Amino acid sequence: MSDAFHLENKVALITGGASGIGAATSRELARAGAHVIIADLNLVAGETLAAELPHARAVRMDVTDSASIALALDGVQRLDILVNNAGIGLVGDIAHTAEEDFERLMRVNVNSVFLVTKAALPLLLATRGSIVNIGSVAGSVGVKQRFAYCASKGAVQAMTRQLAVDYPKELRVNCIAPGTVQTPFVEGYLEKYHAHEKEKIRAELVARQPIGRLGTPEDIASLIRFLCSQEAEFINGAVLPIDGGWTAA
Ligand SMILES: NC(=O)c1ccc[n+]([C@@H]2O[C@H](COP(=O)([O-])OP(=O)(O)OC[C@H]3O[C@@H](n4cnc5c(N)ncnc54)[C@H](O)[C@@H]3O)[C@@H](O)[C@H]2O)c1
């Protein structure tokens, strides 16, 4: 087992790598032997995490801003793995989704995948690199009150398949579609929309996942590590649910 899924000497960049799923991924890829670049809006959190890990460093990156992305990639000589993880949520049906909120969500969740992947493409082509895009079950099924979020994660799945078709031998590009995972993203949602009934809503989030629990960031990070490893060499253009059985129903 210790020899499996190793990433020795691979260089991995993880957007939103300072919190939640991204932070667990930074830890897991570092544990697998990779040199990790934690690219996050929150540089302080990124630096704090990088200090705990072997061969890790943090860089400030706003994934919605091509100048910020270029600056963050400046000086990166080699890249084997890109995890497009940075993302935000938005609650609301179409009638309650403001145009500026929709556009912001699309910038953070969709334009980011375009901009960061495009900027990193020459480096990734040079190593026959692996890209893992973090989608969501919301890209596969309709989720109530998540009009914009579903649209954004559907686009992440579509970009994944399209890239795999254009670069079938030159890259591997896959998408992970998590169910609800216990991270600050979910805590922020509970605090903002359900401050007085957090435990009731948390129980509802658990109930929609047949396995009977929320995912952990480590559940997701393990799959990312596998997808980036040599053992996953034949997996390309795939969208993999990791949701405790939610979308099997
Ligand atoms: N938590 C869940 O239940 C869940 C489920 C399915 C999919 N996802 C997806 O997983 C990804 C990570 O979610 P999480 O729950 O770990 O969230 P999180 O809020 O814990 O972490 C997100 C990180 O992204 C960073 N970030 C936000 N905007 C950024 C920007 N413009 N540029 C650079 N960094 C930015 C934040 O600083 C933060 O460190 C997101 O794409 C999210 O949509 C989460």
Side-chain angles (χ1 to χ4, degrees):
M1 187 62 192
S2 61
D3 276 352
F5 318 131
H6 69 82
L7 303 173
E8 260 90 43
N9 301 321
K10 303 280 187 198
V11 179
L13 186 142
I14 301 152
T15 70
S19 172
I21 292 169
T25 304
S26 299
R27 287 195 183 91
E28 185 61 27
L29 300 194
R31 210 153 66 90
H35 295 242
V36 170
I37 304 169
I38 300 168
D40 204 294
L41 210 48
N42 187 341
L43 181 60
V44 173
E47 284 176 335
T48 305
L49 177 56
E52 291 172 20
L53 305 176
H55 313 303
R57 70 180 175 89
V59 64
R60 188 185 180 282
M61 181 192 282
D62 179 350
V63 293
T64 67
D65 176 357
S66 49
S68 166
I69 295 164
L71 200 61
L73 286 175
D74 191 36
V76 177
Q77 307 281 341
R78 177 191 170 102
L79 195 62
D80 301 273
I81 294 166
L82 169 64
V83 183
N84 282 311
N85 164 76
I88 57 173
L90 184 66
V91 173
D93 60 20
I94 189 169
H96 295 92
T97 298
E99 190 175 342
E100 57 272 27
D101 290 339
F102 183 88
E103 284 173 354
R104 181 166 152 270
L105 195 84
M106 295 303 264
R107 276 200 304 279
V108 179
N109 291 4
V110 180
N111 295 25
S112 61
V113 176
F114 163 52
L115 294 175
V116 178
T117 305
K118 187 176 163 82
L121 194 62
L123 290 167
L124 291 165
L125 289 173
T127 58
R128 190 170 178 264
S130 173
I131 302 173
V132 179
N133 295 324
I134 308 305
S136 164
V137 294
S140 307
V141 298
V143 180
K144 271 188 175 296
Q145 297 292 325
R146 297 293 186 283
F147 173 73
Y149 190 68
C150 285
S152 74
K153 293 302 186 177
V156 173
Q157 294 192 6
M159 286 188 284
T160 302
R161 286 189 284 261
Q162 198 287 331
L163 285 167
V165 168
D166 265 348
Y167 298 97
K169 298 195 166 111
E170 297 88 346
L171 296 171
R172 286 193 309 112
V173 191
N174 293 293
C175 177
I176 291 180
T180 305
V181 180
Q182 181 67 56
T183 71
F185 178 99
V186 170
E187 287 310 312
Y189 157 74
L190 290 172
E191 189 59 45
K192 183 167 178 192
Y193 296 97
H194 302 284
H196 303 298
E197 48 173 8
K198 272 197 213 171
E199 293 320 310
K200 175 174 165 273
I201 302 299
R202 198 190 304 277
E204 287 174 17
L205 297 179
V206 169
R208 71 183 174 183
Q209 307 201 136
I211 201 168
R213 67 168 174 89
L214 298 186
T216 65
E218 292 73 25
D219 289 328
I220 313 304
S222 299
L223 181 53
I224 294 169
R225 173 176 175 174
F226 167 65
L227 279 177
C228 295
S229 72
Q230 182 58 33
E231 285 85 346
E233 149 73 20
F234 199 51
I235 305 178
N236 197 14
V239 176
L240 300 170
I242 175 162
D243 61 9
W246 176 351
T247 56

